[in-house]
């Protein structure tokens, strides 16, 4: 099994197409297939903030649910959109408002189709995936070694939001522990969630959220090759969104 883990897309469909092209995928029936049978694994946060969230939902749904030729794990933005579609009272902010606006612009029949696609995609997904063939775990905000193999509320919070302490920085961002720093496992942990300018490799973890929606790049991590492939973003650069590490 050969895997291409794809970072946070956030509605950037053009860059996703560019990335599939850069990875050597070919389009058949509007779906990218790799001639060597490689499997894409989406690390979550498909929607919000970017220009084409609905198109990303449709493509990922087709690949994962219809064709069963791709893997998907949910991100925190996916969780929020799912709760919106459930009818929960979710605040339309932090990018959800762009996805909701796209969705509301559709006719009633299309709205139902998209809602059904996304909810089906989300409901069939595991919180994270373990891929023994390539010695890797894919989880949106990462996972600590002691939680691998478990599914409980703590795991759900970790994989969606990271190792949050419950406290917030003065600017409102949640305080997160740097779990990757203390990771001692032998399996790759491939994750996204926190935008960085370059893929961040630390121990056997790699953050591939290179902030496409904030104007930097969309990145894939290829296994077993252990190579990254990035394509440039077409969005405007928002410098302050990127985390820097010493
Ligand atoms: Mn996220």
């Amino acid at each position: 099994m050969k895997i291409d883990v794809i970072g946070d897309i956030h509605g950037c469909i053009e860059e996703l197409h560019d990335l599939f092209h850069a990875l050597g995928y070919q389009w058949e029936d509007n779906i990218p297939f790799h001639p060597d049978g490689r499997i894409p694994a989406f690390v979550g946060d498909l929607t919000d903030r970017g220009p084409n969230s609905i198109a990303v939902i449709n493509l990922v749904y087709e690949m994962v649910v219809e064709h069963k030729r791709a893997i998907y794990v949910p991100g925190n933005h996916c969780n929020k959109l799912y709760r919106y579609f459930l009818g929960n009272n979710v605040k339309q902010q932090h990018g959800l408002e762009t996805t909701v606006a796209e969705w509301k612009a559709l006719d009633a029949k299309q709205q139902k189709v998209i809602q059904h696609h996304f909810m089906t995609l989300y409901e069939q997904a595991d919180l994270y995936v373990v891929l023994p063939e390539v010695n890797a775990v894919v989880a949106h905000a990462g996972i600590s070694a002691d939680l691998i193999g478990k599914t409980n509320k703590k795991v759900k919070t970790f994989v969606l939001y990271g190792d949050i302490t419950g406290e917030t920085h003065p600017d409102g961002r949640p305080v997160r522990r740097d779990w990757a720093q203390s990771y001692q496992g032998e399996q790759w942990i491939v994750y996204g969630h926190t935008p960085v300018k370059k893929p961040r490799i630390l121990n056997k973890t790699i953050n591939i959220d290179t902030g496409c929606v904030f104007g930097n790049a969309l990145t894939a991590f290829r296994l077993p090759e252990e190579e990254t492939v990035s394509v440039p973003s077409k969005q405007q650069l928002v410098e302050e969104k990127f985390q820097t590490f010493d």
Side-chain angles (χ1 to χ4, degrees), residues 8 10 43-45 75-77 140-141 160-161 176 192-194 209:
D8 306 41
H10 285 299
V43 82
D45 281 3
N76 52 309
H77 286 262
H140 176 67
L160 291 180
Y161 302 98
R176 299 172 191 158
H193 186 58
T194 306
D209 180 7

Side-chain angles (χ1 to χ4, degrees), residues 93-114:
Q93 57 183 26
H94 305 304
L96 179 63
E97 67 281 6
T98 71
T99 304
V100 169
E102 271 189 62
W103 181 71
K104 283 190 169 165
L106 302 170
D107 64 40
K109 196 177 159 194
Q110 273 302 308
Q111 285 184 3
K112 267 199 180 134
V113 169
I114 298 301

Side-chain angles (χ1 to χ4, degrees), residues 2 4 6 9 12-42 55-71 218 222:
K2 292 183 178 179
D4 296 317
I6 296 173
I9 303 164
C12 296
I13 191 76
E14 287 186 33
E15 293 89 336
L16 180 58
H17 284 219
D18 290 350
L19 183 60
F20 277 128
H21 184 75
L23 293 168
Y25 285 70
Q26 292 164 4
W27 292 77
E28 283 170 40
D29 300 330
N30 295 318
I31 299 293
F33 286 96
H34 198 282
D36 300 337
R38 302 187 69 93
I39 303 290
F42 298 97
V56 176
I57 291 171
N58 276 331
L59 181 59
V60 174
Y61 172 82
E62 285 287 324
M63 295 175 75
V64 174
V65 179
E66 290 289 326
H67 289 80
K68 299 185 173 36
R69 293 286 298 172
I71 295 163
L218 185 64
R222 317 195 88 173

Side-chain angles (χ1 to χ4, degrees), residues 70-215:
I71 295 163
Y72 157 81
V73 295
N76 52 309
H77 286 262
C78 305
N79 172 266
K80 205 168 161 192
L81 180 60
Y82 180 73
R83 287 185 286 117
Y84 173 81
F85 281 147
L86 277 179
N88 293 7
N89 185 20
V90 182
K91 278 189 190 160
Q92 290 175 40
Q93 57 183 26
H94 305 304
L96 179 63
E97 67 281 6
T98 71
T99 304
V100 169
E102 271 189 62
W103 181 71
K104 283 190 169 165
L106 302 170
D107 64 40
K109 196 177 159 194
Q110 273 302 308
Q111 285 184 3
K112 267 199 180 134
V113 169
I114 298 301
Q115 182 173 5
H116 176 71
H117 281 183
F118 184 78
M119 292 180 80
T120 305
L121 175 69
Y122 186 91
E123 285 167 4
Q124 62 80 49
D126 292 323
L127 288 173
Y128 60 95
V129 290
V130 181
L131 302 168
E133 293 100 323
V134 291
N135 195 33
V137 180
V138 179
H140 176 67
I143 190 166
S144 58
D146 61 308
L147 296 181
I148 297 169
K150 297 178 183 165
T151 45
N152 54 41
K153 217 175 163 194
K154 191 180 171 193
V155 174
K156 186 173 180 180
T157 302
F158 199 118
V159 300
L160 291 180
Y161 302 98
D163 198 3
I164 51 174
T165 64
E167 291 157 4
T168 51
H169 292 289
D171 64 0
R173 284 178 303 115
V175 174
R176 299 172 191 158
R177 291 186 198 92
D178 194 358
W179 60 272
Q181 192 86 52
S182 49
Y183 179 72
Q184 298 288 323
E186 287 300 312
Q187 299 178 90
W188 275 105
I189 310 291
V190 190
Y191 69 106
H193 186 58
T194 306
V196 286
K197 278 282 175 74
K198 291 231 150 56
R200 181 193 189 219
I201 296 182
L202 188 59
N203 301 315
K204 248 191 149 184
T205 76
I206 180 166
N207 178 358
I208 55 167
D209 180 7
T210 46
C212 188
V213 79
F214 297 125

